[in-house]
Amino acid sequence: MSLLKQNIPKDYKITVRYIPKEVSGMCWVKLNVFHLEVSLKGLGQKFGNISSNKDNIGTFVQILQEMRYHIGHGLEDSMLEFECHYIEEMWLTARYFEFVEDFFNTANSSREAEDCEPPPCPTSTKRTVTTTTTVSTTSTQHSANERRNGSPDDTEKGVLLPKVVESSLLLLLAIPLIAVVFLLVWKIKSRRNAPQTERRVEEGPALFSGEEANIPPIDVVISEKNRLNIIRAV
């Protein structure tokens, strides 16, 4: 046992579930044999297959299994009766192996009682149960009130829904108005960009065009002819 303790770091913590002697009395060994076996198995799995620590721990596990076999089937019933008295802690290496040594020394020097009468469960456990029940009841009442009055999320959704519908209707009404405005703008631009020929057709045809516009009036032609006749007569 001392060699095994030296091979494990002093600051290493080992988990163990146990019942104190002042609670279990003459049934202390009987009530702790199974959980000590489980704890040593977990510790043995931390070492490799070729480790001497694993072999030494395996030896202790076999001894505990033989003890459980001799105790018989009443072990499980006794453990259930003392269930509320079990404590789970993490001990340093020295404290853990002191417990292991005390267990084997007590098992070799004392005789276990066949019938074990458990003391009343600790009051802390009752308080925990009462608190849990109160919290559950309060949660149930709160849920019922929310279903009856509607949760805050449902109220907010009810307020936001009409606003969304109103915004959608306003958008639908604005679409035709926007279309009319675009149509008017398009017509104005079309009139400004109309071809010049169309404007001329609307104003009517010109009186003279091309060479016809350069022909002198009839009165001018007659006066020129008179001048030529006068010159000839002279």
Side-chain angles (χ1 to χ4, degrees):
M1 185 74 68
S2 60
L3 180 63
L4 178 61
K5 182 169 58 176
Q6 292 175 1
N7 292 335
I8 299 176
K10 295 181 179 180
D11 58 349
Y12 187 77
K13 291 185 177 181
I14 306 171
T15 303
V16 60
R17 183 177 174 85
Y18 72 103
I19 289 182
K21 285 185 176 181
E22 59 270 16
V23 175
S24 56
M26 296 296 292
C27 296
W28 184 73
V29 173
K30 178 179 181 180
L31 295 172
N32 284 291
V33 61
F34 174 74
H35 288 294
L36 181 58
E37 176 188 337
V38 173
S39 179
L40 285 171
K41 282 183 179 179
L43 180 61
Q45 293 176 356
K46 305 295 182 182
F47 302 97
N49 294 328
I50 60 175
S51 174
S52 60
N53 290 336
K54 191 178 184 68
D55 294 336
N56 293 331
I57 292 173
T59 301
F60 290 118
V61 170
Q62 291 179 357
I63 296 173
L64 293 173
Q65 289 176 346
E66 292 178 0
M67 292 178 62
R68 284 199 299 111
Y69 176 77
H70 289 292
I71 292 172
H73 299 289
L75 175 60
E76 184 176 356
D77 295 335
S78 298
M79 291 176 62
L80 289 175
E81 292 177 355
F82 282 82
E83 179 64 28
C84 62
H85 297 284
Y86 279 96
I87 302 173
E88 184 171 327
E89 294 180 350
M90 296 184 69
W91 290 339
L92 294 175
T93 303
R95 173 72 179 88
Y96 179 79
F97 282 102
E98 286 177 1
F99 176 79
V100 175
E101 290 179 0
D102 187 17
F103 177 86
F104 283 105
N105 292 333
T106 304
N108 292 329
S109 61
S110 63
R111 181 179 179 181
E112 287 288 307
E114 295 182 0
D115 297 329
C116 301
E117 187 68 25
C121 290
T123 55
S124 58
T125 305
K126 294 181 180 179
R127 289 178 183 176
T128 304
V129 173
T130 305
T131 304
T132 305
T133 306
T134 305
V135 172
S136 301
T137 305
T138 305
S139 177
T140 304
Q141 292 176 353
H142 181 67
S143 301
N145 292 332
E146 285 187 352
R147 288 194 299 267
R148 184 167 53 253
N149 300 328
S151 63
D153 294 338
D154 295 336
T155 304
E156 292 179 0
K157 291 179 181 179
V159 174
L160 292 176
L161 184 60
K163 292 183 178 180
V164 174
V165 174
E166 183 179 355
S167 300
S168 301
L169 291 176
L170 291 176
L171 181 61
L172 292 175
L173 292 176
I175 290 175
L177 181 59
I178 295 173
V180 172
V181 172
F182 276 107
L183 181 62
L184 292 176
V185 173
W186 178 78
K187 284 187 176 182
I188 293 172
K189 289 184 177 181
S190 298
R191 289 182 180 180
R192 290 180 179 177
N193 297 331
Q196 295 295 330
T197 54
E198 294 181 1
R199 293 184 180 180
R200 290 176 180 175
V201 171
E202 293 177 358
E203 294 174 356
L207 295 176
F208 301 99
S209 62
E211 296 180 355
E212 294 180 355
N214 298 323
I215 298 175
I218 296 175
D219 295 338
V220 175
V221 175
I222 295 172
S223 60
E224 289 293 332
K225 287 183 178 181
N226 290 334
R227 290 179 183 179
L228 291 173
N229 291 330
I230 292 171
I231 294 170
R232 289 177 182 177
V234 176

